[in-house]
Amino acid sequence: MDAEQMLVEQAAIIKHSACPEECPLPGGCTKSNACPQKKVWVYRNLVKALPWFGTVRTKMSDPAYAGFFIPFATAALPNGTVPGANVPSCDTHYNPARCSHLYHDQVQTPQYPDGRGWLDGSCRAPCDCGAVPCGEYVFDHRNGSALTTWILDEYFGGSSGLGNPNIDGFMIDDQWLPQHGRNGSIPGGPSEMDRDAVRDMGLSQDDVRDIFEAWQSNMAAVIDLVSTRGGWTFSQLQAGQSTIPTSEAACAAQFQAACTPEGTASGQSGVSLYSLSDNHTNTAKVNNLAVFLLTRGPYAYIGHGWEGLCTADYSIPEEFAMDHGTPLNNCSETAPGSGIFTREWTKATVTVSCPTLSGSIRMKTP
């Protein structure tokens, strides 16, 4: 499997759907900014080294680059198994088994014959990640300039990244935690991995801190590369608050803070992302849109977030397609303590009412 190549192909299709003449299939756009109205970001991970990405698998399968990745703390036996490890080092669905002395777990990994349903995927045959078993491996950011150069020149800047005119940026996933990590991983370590990952890799608290600092340095280098080349990353977005709180008091406090001369609508200097409500009803989505129009700054997006249920309703109400014009002012409370907040747009009046915990968008008559 090569998810990296799949993303490249999907990016070309998405660009073609918006700009069929400028970005013909199969390759899509032949130059950057050929389709400025459609931006495509693709997935990357700077914590987990995922072998279903071709560029990662190539390095992982080459012993010369073993230093790019963190090994198990205990040496493997001649049959490839690692004594005392809490996760398997071999995929025994192959004969001979595919093994790796590099640490890997299967927390968020497609598996055979059955993964965790739709969440991580199931393989119809033994999962094929080339010479290594499929799993979540871990980059060792202490490696220094060699790893950094590969990350910038190939993993992010190469032909499946910003070197491809169909790709405009990245959703960079996961983080390295300096201490007290998620899933019980102590002391710190990679997010969303097996709770014993740090122990199985034999990392001390000093090791965790060193990798954390090196990961931060490489992340900063990636952001600088992407920005220099006119791209964008999900991590550069500011989180916008799109929901109406469930109590009148909390609602009033939220919008009284936002609807001031220094509030979010006037003070946002970056780009904000507002996510739609998890309950996916049309009423909730219109309320989300009302909050967005009430409080957004000069640069903002609204849409479905990065996670949810495959069975959820991802349709968009007609209000999202309406032309609301441009804002005429910042939002304000109609009267001190009223709990009702409004904002005038050239083509609409937007209101959020804390007494009723609802939002409304009234289009103006031309």
Side-chain angles (χ1 to χ4, degrees):
M1 67 178 82
D2 191 343
E4 193 171 13
Q5 182 58 34
M6 291 173 62
L7 292 175
V8 168
E9 293 170 1
Q10 291 169 359
I13 293 171
I14 292 170
K15 288 283 190 175
H16 172 76
S17 68
C19 304
E21 294 184 3
E22 296 86 350
C23 304
L25 294 177
C29 304
T30 57
K31 60 181 180 179
S32 299
N33 297 320
C35 185
Q37 64 267 43
K38 178 66 70 172
K39 301 296 183 183
V40 179
W41 299 353
V42 295
Y43 182 91
R44 286 294 187 273
N45 202 310
L46 263 182
V47 174
K48 302 175 184 179
L50 305 175
W52 43 90
F53 275 63
T55 55
V56 176
R57 181 168 63 241
T58 298
K59 290 292 184 283
M60 192 177 292
S61 303
D62 187 342
Y65 295 95
F68 282 15
F69 313 98
I70 301 177
F72 282 100
T74 304
L77 298 175
N79 66 359
T81 60
V82 175
N86 291 277
V87 292
S89 58
C90 299
D91 184 350
T92 56
H93 292 105
Y94 287 92
N95 186 18
R98 292 183 181 179
C99 304
S100 177
H101 72 287
L102 303 174
Y103 175 83
H104 57 282
D105 64 33
Q106 290 75 39
V107 171
Q108 294 180 347
T109 303
Q111 297 185 51
Y112 174 82
D114 185 29
R116 293 191 295 161
W118 58 268
L119 189 61
D120 297 323
S122 301
C123 299
R124 296 178 181 177
C127 299
D128 186 2
C129 291
V132 298
C134 292
E136 299 179 313
Y137 295 72
V138 185
F139 286 118
D140 191 344
H141 290 278
R142 297 170 297 182
N143 180 273
S145 60
L147 176 61
T148 303
T149 298
W150 173 80
I151 287 172
L152 297 179
D153 292 351
E154 188 172 350
Y155 192 39
F156 281 85
S159 60
S160 63
L162 291 178
N164 188 308
N166 297 302
I167 294 173
D168 303 291
F170 305 94
M171 190 285 185
I172 305 175
D173 200 7
D174 287 305
Q175 58 185 318
W176 190 273
L177 303 164
Q179 57 186 348
H180 298 297
R182 295 164 62 179
N183 296 346
S185 164
I186 298 175
S191 64
E192 298 183 353
M193 294 195 74
D194 186 84
R195 63 178 298 125
D196 293 305
V198 167
R199 188 180 73 82
D200 280 353
M201 289 184 283
L203 302 178
S204 67
Q205 178 63 72
D206 287 342
D207 292 329
V208 169
R209 172 65 64 173
D210 289 344
I211 299 171
F212 167 73
E213 292 176 353
W215 165 74
Q216 283 189 313
S217 177
N218 279 338
M219 178 67 86
V222 166
I223 297 300
D224 184 63
L225 169 76
V226 175
S227 299
T228 299
R229 294 176 61 169
W232 200 261
T233 71
F234 186 87
S235 55
Q236 291 174 278
L237 294 172
Q238 301 171 0
Q241 175 56 262
S242 62
T243 57
I244 298 175
T246 56
S247 75
E248 181 177 352
C251 174
Q254 175 176 310
F255 295 110
Q256 283 168 352
C259 299
T260 66
E262 297 78 26
T264 55
S266 61
Q268 292 176 354
S269 58
V271 179
S272 297
L273 176 65
Y274 291 69
S275 295
L276 295 181
S277 173
D278 289 339
N279 67 23
H280 297 286
T281 65
N282 274 4
T283 298
K285 292 173 186 177
V286 172
N287 283 343
N288 295 152
L289 180 61
V291 173
F292 172 76
L293 294 173
L294 185 79
T295 63
R296 62 158 293 176
Y299 307 101
Y301 294 91
I302 185 170
H304 292 290
W306 62 271
E307 66 180 347
L309 298 175
C310 291
T311 56
D313 177 10
Y314 287 102
S315 62
I316 297 295
E318 63 180 1
E319 286 85 352
F320 281 72
M322 295 178 179
D323 181 6
H324 306 102
T326 56
L328 296 172
N329 53 19
N330 195 7
C331 56
S332 62
E333 194 169 10
T334 57
S338 69
I340 299 174
F341 301 85
T342 64
R343 189 181 194 184
E344 294 295 331
W345 288 62
T346 53
K347 298 182 180 181
T349 298
V350 179
T351 302
V352 170
S353 170
C354 292
T356 61
L357 300 178
S358 63
S360 65
I361 304 166
R362 181 177 58 82
M363 301 302 295
K364 297 178 178 178
T365 302

